[in-house]
Amino acid sequence: MDIAVIGAGYVGLVAAVCLAKSGHMVTCIEKDKNKIEMMDRGHTPFFEESLDELLKTALMTERLDFKQALSEVKWPEIIIVAVGTPTLPGGRVDLSQVNMALAEIAGFSKPVTVVMKSTVTPGTGRRLKEKYLRNNNQQYVSNPEFLREGRAVYDWFNPDRIIIGGDRKAAGQLMEIYSDIDAPVILTDITSAEMIKYSSNAFLATKISFINEIANLCEYVGADIDDVTNGLGMDRRIGKDFLKAGLGYGGSCFPKDTRALDYLSSVNGYNFSLLRAVIDVNNKQKLRVIQKLRWVLGDISGRNVAVLGLAFKPGTDDIRESPALEIINLLAEEGVQVAVYDPVALPKACSHLLNHVICSDSAEQAISGSHAVILTTEWEQFIKLDWQKLKELMKEPYLIIDGRNCLPAEKLRQFGYRYIGIGRLAE
Ligand code: UDX
C-alpha cells in the first residue's frame, strides 16, 4: 500500500521504517529540513536499537522517502499521524500539531484513511473527525502505539495486541498494513481505543509507584524488596513486569500520559485520586536518594558525588523527565560538586545541567575523587564496571546509592563500600 506518515519522531520514524520493511511504499513527512537531510543519509536523529540499519535498507530498496509537506507526496491510501502531543501546564495535551495535520489532510479532500497514532486523550478523535473529516471519503481510525523506547522496532513487529478504534471499513483497510504481524486485533470505537492507550500507561505507572512504596516500607520494617518482588510477581494475576523498585518512572510517556489523564478527569469533574497518588509518589521517589545521601554524609555541601546515568532508562539517549536530571540539579544547588556520565545521553543532557556540573568522559573519571556514587540508570556498562578497582579512586565513606537496585549489594560491601539500595536490606 501507499502510506504517508506525518512526523519522524520516536513513533513516526519507527512506523515508517517498519512499514517499508513490510513491503509498503512509505513517505515520511517531516518539517525539519535538517532532520530530513540526516535521514536521507541513513542516519536516525535518535538512538534506537536496529533502526539505523532498517532505515538504510528502506532507502536502498526505495520503499521510503522523506518530504517536508503532504503536497509533495503522491496521494496515499493511508495517512498515519504521528506528530508530538506534548504536555501543557496543568497536564493538558497540546493538540496544535495534530490539528495542523488534520487541517492539511482535510484541505486536499481526497479519499484517504487517517490513522491516529499520536497519543490523544479520550474523546479527542471523535472531535477531530467531526471538525475536519466531514466528507465521508475521508475516514478516521484511532490506532494507538505501545512502543517502548529502546525496544520500539521489536515492539512494532511483536505487539501484544493491535487496537483499532473506528468503523469496520476503515479498520479493514488498516489491517492490510499489519498483514505480516501475528497479534490479536481489538476493534472498538474511537474513544475506547484512546482510553485503552491511556489506561495501559496509567496502570503500568501505578505498578511502578506501588512497588516503590512497598520498597520504601521495606526499609522501615527490614524486608528485602528483591525477595518481595520475586514472590509478588509469581502470582500470574500480578505478573513480574513493571515491579522494579527504583527512582520512579521518567520518559516522554508515563509522566505525560498520567498528567493528561488526571487533567481529563478533573475537567470532567471526576477526582481520580489513585492516579493522583501515583503521580505524587513518583514525584517524591527520586528525592529519596538525596535523603539517603544526607543520612550517610551529613552535610552534603562541598562533597564530591558522581552520578552514573542520565537517560531516563537504558537503551536510549532520551533524557526527557529523567529522574537523574532533577537529582543532579538539586545536588548542585546544595553545593555538592557533581560529576556525571552516561554512555549515550551525555551530549543531550549536559545542556540541561547547571553549569558547574562536570560532564565526565567516562564512569571512572566521574567516580575519581568522589565520596559517593549515585547510580540513576541501569546501563549494563555500569553493572560490569570493575567496582573492586574503582574503590581506590574514591574517598571515604565509599558510598554507593544504587537508585535502580542493579548492583550486587553483598559483593560491593565485601569490597568495602557502604552500599544502599531502594528497599534492599541495609548492611
Ligand atoms: C512506555 C510504555 O512501556 C510503552 O508501552 C508506551 O508506548 C510508551 O511508554 P517507555 O516510556 O519507552 O514505554 O519506557 P518503559 O520501558 O515503559 O519505562 C518507563 C519508565 O518506567 C522508565 O523510566 C523506567 O525506568 C521505569 N520503570 C519501568 C521502573 O521504574 N520500573 C519498572 O519495573 C519498569
Side-chain angles (χ1 to χ4, degrees):
M1 291 180 92
D2 288 334
I3 302 170
V5 178
I6 303 180
Y10 283 92
V11 175
L13 183 57
V14 170
V17 165
C18 292
L19 287 165
K21 177 170 168 46
S22 297
H24 301 288
M25 297 305 290
V26 185
T27 297
C28 189
I29 296 157
E30 169 55 54
K31 56 183 180 307
D32 182 335
K33 199 162 172 42
N34 295 330
K35 267 174 88 172
I36 290 183
E37 282 164 11
M38 183 182 190
M39 294 183 293
D40 275 340
R41 292 197 307 275
H43 298 299
T44 55
F46 48 84
F47 179 89
E48 182 62 52
E49 193 69 41
S50 76
L51 194 63
D52 246 33
E53 51 264 34
L54 280 177
L55 170 59
K56 290 178 175 63
T57 309
L59 293 170
M60 203 167 53
T61 54
E62 298 185 342
R63 292 197 173 282
L64 172 62
D65 65 351
F66 295 96
K67 300 285 185 206
Q68 262 194 299
L70 197 52
S71 54
E72 301 170 48
V73 175
K74 170 174 163 283
W75 193 252
E77 300 160 83
I78 282 186
I79 297 177
I80 294 175
V81 177
V83 294
T85 53
T87 307
L88 293 169
R92 189 157 63 89
V93 173
D94 177 357
L95 292 173
S96 55
Q97 296 179 55
V98 166
N99 282 307
M100 273 165 56
L102 270 286
E104 189 178 9
I105 295 167
F108 284 92
S109 65
K110 293 178 186 169
V112 73
T113 295
V114 178
V115 178
M116 183 54 69
K117 264 197 183 295
S118 297
T119 302
V120 292
T121 41
T124 302
R126 203 177 41 222
R127 287 192 295 276
L128 291 171
K129 186 170 185 282
E130 284 156 17
K131 181 174 180 183
Y132 295 107
L133 308 181
R134 304 182 73 81
N135 60 5
N136 54 22
N137 70 347
Q138 292 189 329
Q139 306 289 325
Y140 181 104
V141 284
S142 166
N143 177 222
E145 50 78 23
F146 299 91
L147 308 177
R148 293 165 296 171
E149 285 187 38
R151 304 281 292 145
V153 173
Y154 175 83
D155 287 346
W156 176 275
F157 288 110
N158 302 277
D160 290 334
R161 73 297 200 200
I162 294 170
I163 303 295
I164 300 178
D167 65 33
R168 283 200 173 284
K169 179 171 169 286
Q173 210 181 6
L174 179 59
M175 274 321 296
E176 280 186 55
I177 72 171
Y178 292 122
S179 56
D180 60 333
I181 293 174
D182 177 21
V185 177
I186 293 188
L187 179 60
T188 182
D189 62 275
I190 294 171
T191 304
S192 300
E194 292 162 339
M195 186 59 88
I196 290 170
K197 167 68 181 175
Y198 272 89
S199 50
S200 174
N201 276 359
F203 185 75
L204 292 170
T206 303
K207 279 190 91 172
I208 293 167
S209 283
F210 174 79
I211 204 64
N212 281 333
E213 292 242 85
I214 291 290
N216 298 341
L217 181 57
C218 282
E219 294 174 359
Y220 288 95
V221 300
D224 181 84
I225 190 60
D226 293 335
D227 290 350
V228 170
T229 303
N230 195 21
L232 190 60
M234 281 182 181
D235 184 321
R236 287 190 303 273
R237 297 165 300 176
I238 298 171
K240 62 181 175 34
D241 292 340
F242 284 75
L243 285 179
K244 262 189 334 185
L247 296 172
Y249 57 81
S252 66
C253 294
F254 286 0
K256 173 169 84 83
D257 293 354
T258 48
R259 284 197 289 261
L261 203 56
D262 180 30
Y263 177 83
L264 178 76
S265 307
S266 306
V267 296
N268 281 279
Y270 181 69
N271 177 22
F272 198 152
S273 49
L274 177 62
L275 180 65
R276 200 151 308 146
V278 167
I279 296 168
D280 184 43
V281 165
N282 195 63
N283 289 339
K284 288 189 290 198
Q285 188 66 10
K286 60 189 86 99
L287 307 182
R288 290 180 66 86
V289 285
I290 296 177
Q291 292 161 9
K292 293 170 190 284
L293 195 69
R294 261 197 245 283
W295 180 57
V296 176
L297 299 183
D299 177 9
I300 60 176
S301 158
R303 297 290 200 137
N304 301 332
V305 174
V307 174
L308 298 187
L310 296 165
F312 81 93
K313 69 171 188 175
T316 177
D317 61 350
D318 194 349
I319 58 170
R320 287 176 290 181
E321 308 251 358
S322 171
L325 300 192
E326 188 172 344
I327 290 167
I328 291 162
N329 285 332
L330 285 172
L331 289 174
E333 282 165 8
E334 299 244 351
V336 174
Q337 182 54 59
V338 188
V340 304
Y341 175 70
D342 184 288
V344 171
L346 200 69
K348 269 192 181 175
C350 283
S351 57
H352 290 75
L353 298 174
L354 294 175
N355 52 21
H356 50 281
V357 170
I358 299 166
C359 288
S360 308
D361 295 330
S362 68
E364 291 76 2
Q365 193 185 68
I367 290 170
S368 183
S370 65
H371 298 94
V373 174
I374 300 177
L375 192 138
T376 41
T377 311
E378 62 277 29
W379 285 104
E380 196 60 29
Q381 181 188 79
F382 296 154
I383 297 166
K384 288 183 177 157
L385 286 171
D386 181 346
W387 287 99
Q388 186 165 18
K389 191 159 155 293
L390 281 172
K391 181 169 170 284
E392 295 157 22
L393 300 177
M394 288 183 69
K395 293 177 180 170
E396 284 195 336
Y398 313 112
L399 173 61
I400 290 184
I401 299 178
D402 183 357
R404 294 292 179 187
N405 284 350
C406 63
L407 298 176
E410 276 324 301
K411 195 178 283 185
L412 292 172
R413 287 171 180 145
Q414 285 161 15
F415 295 156
Y417 285 100
R418 179 80 184 271
Y419 174 94
I420 297 178
I422 307 286
R424 282 183 148 181
L425 273 180
E427 68 275 36

